[in-house]
Amino acid sequence: MRIPLPPVPLPDTVVALAREYADGTREPAEPRNAATVIVLRPGDAGPEAYYLRRQVSMDFAAGMAVFPGGGVDPRDFDAQVGWAGPEPAAWAARLGCDEETARALVCAAVRETFEECGVLLAGASDGEVVADTTADDWEADRVALESRELAMTDFLNRRGLVLRTDLLGVWDAWLTPVFEPKRYRTWFFVAELPAGQVTRDVSTESSSVHWLPAREAADQADAGELAMMPPTYLTSMEVGTYPDTGAVLATARERSVQMFTPTVEPLGDGWTLSMPDRLRPLVSERRQA
């Protein structure tokens, strides 16, 4: 299935619908906060990222290749969660949100990554990280977290672990356009696969998983071989311009983000959705190649 990628002409019906929301004729759906993590590992062709192809039966991003992630759970706001690394106030400044939301987003990023690919960004102290999460008892905890039978705080406390928030970097933030019926306010994080850990195809929401050089993933999307939503495609394209994971993480450690909401803008004789200005030269260069 070929998914048109930015910049894409929008049908007149979508443009008209977007205008109705923009002028207040229609009420947009209330967005839900979410976190997604670009899990990286070194590769000969540049940084490789972990992608899950969502089940075609899903009601959001069906059949699309996505990064691990999901919505914030109310229990992600627990201030008693074990914590190592930058404090929530520092995260709030970089994520462009309040401190309480920042804590929940970081917790959700770690929790969802463990739930969806078995990678756990946690350790017994600020200098340690779990080396293996493949045993049956870890899998039982992962399933309990996924089903919400177990809270992240209780899971970490029982195992004597703290969130290694210093292993996360900040990358981007996207809000679904106003005319979409299901909307997410999604913060994008990056993290390198911890030494000793392996990704596992465990998510019930995915039909397959893939490690791909980020640059190659964008190429496959251009060729119609891999379906992606624009934020995933643009992120893959941008990450793919870096020579290695170290360069990506160095950028992410210094980056702060503002929430970007695509709006309708002119494209030739028609209309398209906007994108962050920093990505326009990269898209233009790719289209001319």
Side-chain angles (χ1 to χ4, degrees), residues 126-139:
D126 59 4
E128 300 178 65
V129 64
V130 173
D132 183 9
T133 63
T134 59
D136 290 345
D137 60 327
W138 285 103
E139 176 60 12

Side-chain angles (χ1 to χ4, degrees), residues 115-174:
E115 287 179 12
E116 296 210 327
C117 65
V119 171
L120 183 60
L121 303 175
S125 69
D126 59 4
E128 300 178 65
V129 64
V130 173
D132 183 9
T133 63
T134 59
D136 290 345
D137 60 327
W138 285 103
E139 176 60 12
D141 281 347
R142 190 199 64 78
V143 171
L145 282 168
E146 188 176 40
S147 66
R148 302 299 181 263
E149 295 174 12
L150 178 64
M152 190 68 172
T153 300
D154 295 337
F155 163 64
L156 294 174
N157 288 346
R158 192 176 68 196
R159 288 185 172 272
L161 301 175
V162 294
L163 295 178
R164 285 289 309 276
T165 73
D166 57 307
L167 299 180
L168 285 168
V170 177
W171 198 255
D172 218 337
W174 289 77

Side-chain angles (χ1 to χ4, degrees), residues 49-61:
Y50 187 76
Y51 298 88
L52 303 91
R53 193 187 297 265
R54 286 173 62 84
Q55 300 278 5
V56 295
S57 59
M58 301 297 294
D59 62 356
F60 184 80

